[in-house]
Amino acid sequence: MAGVVVVGVDGSASALAAVEAAAREARLRGASLKVVHAFMWPAMHVPLGPSPLGPPEGGLRTMVERLLAEAVERADATAPGVEVTGSVVTGEALTVLEAQSRAAGLVVVGSRGMGGFVGLMVGSTAVHLAAHGRCPVLVVRGDVRTEGPVVVGVDGSAAGEQAVDFAFQEAELRGTTLVAVHAWTAWNAPVPEPQDPAEPYASPPGALAEAEERLLAETLAGHRELRPDVVVEPRVVHGPTREALIEAGRGAQLTVVGARGRGGFTGLMLGSVSQALLHHAPSPVAVVRGGQDFQPGSALP
């Protein structure tokens, strides 16, 4: 499987956990791994070399080279045999990683970095990339596991199709079960049209639940044909989507969601469900934006 996995590093413990996850992803995909550090100080015209009063091995540039070397070493130790390169790119992290996502099959980041404010559950870089990245974005948070299912949120929207496809791919690569969760309430489920136009526009008892079960089955059908080896566990939950996915993610290797789903407000880049998971999911989260011009697992042209 062609492509490159990109991971952003800043020297934090969260970033090193992201490096390990990215190395495993690259190994699963048969891809190379690119470790990237966004170095904003040159643009601010500050001295990069050692201070005249300090040790010769000091300075911002040496510090950056050291943290990048540590990240590359961690990747090599996690996934021997994967081609790993390190790159220092001048610019601010959000801009640099968004640009890197244009030529990547996957971008991986930690949930919080060195500049995070105390009390925040997730950093601005992770949220920004999930909303604007040009490829799927994996945010490493919660319990990182190499066992357990892949969980995907299914809502039947066109925008969510790529998220379902990505989740099938991840389950196949990992050799694990895919738990497909479709949560609905009377507030977010469209009311089925009456079979007879003369009848009142209302559903008989049980019709709404049957429609939602049918929606999940129809959404999964084509993906099951493409990847018949993936064992799928469909779950239809009557309740809020955020709570259902957070609960399903306990013990999972990965939870996959679309950036926006059914019922989202036009113009929003990131929906409430994906944002809630980035802040509260008990396992790593992959956010896939609908309409991205890429094939999952491969680089953009």
Side-chain angles (χ1 to χ4, degrees):
M1 185 178 293
V4 58
V5 174
V6 172
V7 59
V9 298
D10 62 1
S12 65
S14 178
L16 288 177
V19 167
E20 294 178 351
R24 289 191 291 267
E25 281 287 340
R27 180 174 58 194
L28 287 172
R29 294 159 172 260
S32 60
L33 176 63
K34 186 177 183 180
V35 182
V36 176
H37 174 76
F39 195 31
M40 66 178 181
W41 296 111
M44 302 180 71
H45 306 292
V46 299
L48 304 180
S51 167
L53 302 178
E57 68 275 11
L60 290 172
R61 187 177 299 280
T62 300
M63 178 191 70
V64 166
E65 292 172 351
R66 189 180 300 119
L67 73 85
L68 189 66
E70 180 185 3
V72 169
E73 182 179 349
R74 181 71 66 92
D76 284 331
T78 301
V82 171
E83 179 188 348
V84 183
T85 58
S87 180
V88 177
V89 181
T90 300
E92 194 269 335
L94 301 178
T95 304
V96 167
L97 291 176
E98 184 179 343
Q100 292 288 324
S101 74
R102 296 173 181 270
L106 180 71
V107 174
V108 184
V109 292
S111 58
R112 288 188 56 209
M114 294 292 287
F117 292 96
V118 174
L120 287 183
M121 300 294 290
V122 68
S124 59
T125 299
V127 173
H128 177 91
L129 281 174
H132 298 282
R134 294 290 299 274
C135 69
V137 175
L138 172 58
V139 179
V140 179
R141 56 162 295 110
D143 294 329
V144 179
R145 302 171 181 268
T146 56
E147 296 181 351
V150 170
V151 173
V152 61
V154 180
D155 65 1
S157 68
E161 275 294 311
Q162 285 188 339
V164 176
D165 187 43
F166 180 83
F168 265 86
Q169 172 192 271
E170 285 292 320
E172 185 177 58
L173 289 173
R174 296 164 187 252
T176 193
T177 302
L178 177 64
V179 177
V181 178
H182 174 61
W184 66 278
T185 68
W187 297 101
N188 65 17
V191 178
E193 296 183 9
Q195 296 181 355
D196 184 348
E199 294 179 358
Y201 204 95
S203 300
L208 203 54
E210 291 176 4
E212 297 303 306
E213 290 176 358
R214 186 166 55 251
L215 180 150
L216 178 58
E218 291 174 351
T219 300
L220 296 175
H223 299 281
R224 279 176 147 168
E225 291 179 4
L226 289 173
R227 293 187 169 90
D229 292 336
V230 176
V231 177
V232 183
E233 179 187 326
R235 292 184 189 175
V236 178
V237 179
H238 185 202
T241 303
R242 286 171 285 188
E243 287 78 356
L245 287 174
I246 289 172
E247 180 60 31
R250 302 187 193 282
Q253 294 187 46
L254 177 67
T255 300
V256 181
V257 290
R260 285 183 55 234
R262 184 174 71 180
F265 291 98
T266 301
L268 286 181
M269 299 297 291
L270 201 62
S272 61
V273 171
S274 50
Q275 289 206 47
L277 287 169
L278 289 178
H279 285 274
H280 302 292
S283 56
V285 177
V287 179
V288 184
R289 287 203 304 120
Q292 290 172 326
D293 186 19
F294 71 99
Q295 293 297 320
S298 62
L300 286 168

